[in-house]
Amino acid sequence: MSGFVEKPEPLQVPGLVHLHTGKVRDLYQNEAGDLVMVASDRLSAYDWVLPTQIPDKGRILTQLSLWWFDQLADLVPNHVLSTDVPEGAPADWEGRTLVCKSLRMVPVECVARGYLTGSGLAEYNESRTVCGVALPEGLVDGSELPGPVFTPATKAEVGEHDENVPYEEVARRVGVETAAQLRQLTLALYSRARDIARDRGIILADTKFEFGFDGDTLVLADEVLTPDSSRFWPADQWQPGRPQPSYDKQFVRDWLTSAESGWDRTSEQPPPPLPERIVEATRAKYVEAYERLTGTKWS
């Protein structure tokens, strides 16, 4: 069992139709047919959306995504139309709302990996491959790969795992031409972002992108290069052969699996609320990632 510990009721906003409540984002449609994406402060871990929120998280993710969209604009168009809060919406939507083009979304998570860890490491240990891509012997947790690889996954519902799939499966689902375009764009975006992050003392280990079609044009959508969609590691602490410190919700994962939490993740019981110190430490990591990447102070 997994999913929402407490699923929120969608807000009723004049002129907006609620479409979907995701792990972090709520989606609405306005009268013009545009999507209105609102990033909440919700946090997910181990396939659960937790009962405790991280203050400012939605705003940090939104503002960081906007910064990255600007850095990548010459490589691919994006779906953002404006950051205006719709009339009649709560004041809390300020800074966490994107009005976006409604796209025909590609049903594939486009993942790029430059380092070996996570589900990629598990597959490598079994077969010396990741998503069917052969890798050399001798790699360990945190190893840099000879070059970035495209390791797509199928999208999962809330409470379920995305599933890694080989490139051939992507070509079967979306067509050979679109699959090739997705791979080329994903690796180009990753390489640009990796170099920007590296200049700021951060390793971009892997990340996932989502794309959709605006007519015949492939467009970058959803959030981009945030700690929720990427693994960012402090470069000065990188040490292959062990799990790396990261700018994400690792404090939360570690606490949930500790004796202190009292939670058994193999049970069907939902996880407990987070202690304040874990909330504060996690928020601080999101803020630090934003400030180091953008070079601007979070306020």
Side-chain angles (χ1 to χ4, degrees):
M1 184 178 174
S2 55
F4 286 90
V5 175
E6 301 166 4
K7 188 168 184 178
E9 286 295 320
L11 295 176
Q12 302 300 316
V13 178
L16 298 186
V17 176
H18 177 260
L19 300 178
H20 179 66
T21 298
K23 292 178 182 178
V24 173
R25 284 165 183 75
D26 297 304
L27 290 184
Y28 298 80
Q29 189 173 47
N30 64 19
E31 292 171 338
D34 304 320
L35 282 183
V36 179
M37 289 176 39
V38 185
S40 74
D41 293 337
R42 295 191 293 269
L43 187 76
S44 65
Y46 298 120
D47 299 321
W48 285 94
V49 180
L50 304 179
T52 310
Q53 300 194 1
I54 307 298
D56 284 333
K57 175 175 174 280
R59 288 190 179 89
I60 294 168
L61 297 186
T62 301
Q63 299 308 311
L64 186 55
S65 288
L66 286 168
W67 185 83
W68 278 114
F69 281 133
D70 285 345
Q71 311 306 309
L72 305 171
D74 61 311
L75 297 177
V76 63
N78 64 71
H79 66 162
V80 178
L81 295 172
S82 87
T83 58
D84 296 338
V85 175
E87 193 173 336
D92 182 60
W93 281 20
E94 187 69 44
R96 62 174 79 241
T97 300
L98 297 180
V99 181
C100 305
K101 291 178 184 176
S102 184
L103 305 174
R104 179 165 51 88
M105 295 303 293
V106 176
V108 174
E109 298 275 8
C110 292
V111 180
R113 300 175 192 267
Y115 292 75
L116 188 64
T117 194
S119 62
L121 176 65
E123 181 184 333
Y124 173 82
N125 287 338
E126 287 184 3
S127 61
R128 297 297 182 264
T129 63
V130 177
C131 290
V133 178
L135 296 175
E137 291 285 340
L139 301 181
V140 295
D141 193 354
S143 287
E144 184 172 9
L145 302 178
V149 293
F150 178 58
T151 58
T154 56
K155 294 183 181 180
E157 296 299 316
V158 174
E160 297 180 10
H161 285 295
D162 292 344
E163 182 182 353
N164 292 346
V165 293
Y167 177 76
E168 292 73 22
E169 175 63 17
V170 177
R172 187 188 70 78
R173 291 185 181 214
V174 302
V176 173
E177 185 177 335
T178 297
Q181 197 176 359
L182 290 172
R183 178 166 61 184
Q184 182 272 325
L185 265 180
T186 297
L187 294 177
L189 292 169
Y190 171 82
S191 297
R192 168 74 62 81
R194 174 202 60 199
D195 293 347
I196 291 172
R198 184 178 287 159
D199 288 344
R200 290 154 171 78
I202 291 177
I203 289 172
L204 174 59
D206 55 44
T207 192
K208 69 175 180 180
F209 300 108
E210 294 202 33
F211 297 94
F213 280 100
D214 179 20
D216 293 330
T217 303
L218 206 53
V219 174
L220 184 59
D222 200 52
E223 67 178 311
V224 60
L225 292 155
T226 71
D228 273 18
S229 66
S230 317
R231 283 187 177 91
F232 292 113
W233 299 336
D236 59 359
Q237 297 179 55
W238 176 53
Q239 185 181 322
R242 61 165 173 81
Q244 311 300 315
S246 58
Y247 292 100
D248 62 6
K249 49 197 170 188
Q250 196 58 49
F251 287 115
V252 173
R253 296 191 193 97
D254 291 347
W255 184 80
L256 285 172
T257 54
S258 72
E260 182 187 347
S261 79
W263 182 55
D264 177 5
R265 57 179 290 210
T266 64
S267 73
E268 294 194 352
Q269 295 302 308
L274 302 175
E276 187 59 31
R277 74 176 193 282
I278 300 299
V279 171
E280 290 175 357
T282 302
R283 180 186 180 278
K285 273 295 172 193
Y286 279 92
V287 169
E288 184 182 352
Y290 173 87
E291 291 182 344
R292 289 195 66 176
L293 286 166
T294 67
T296 57
K297 191 79 174 167
W298 176 255
S299 59

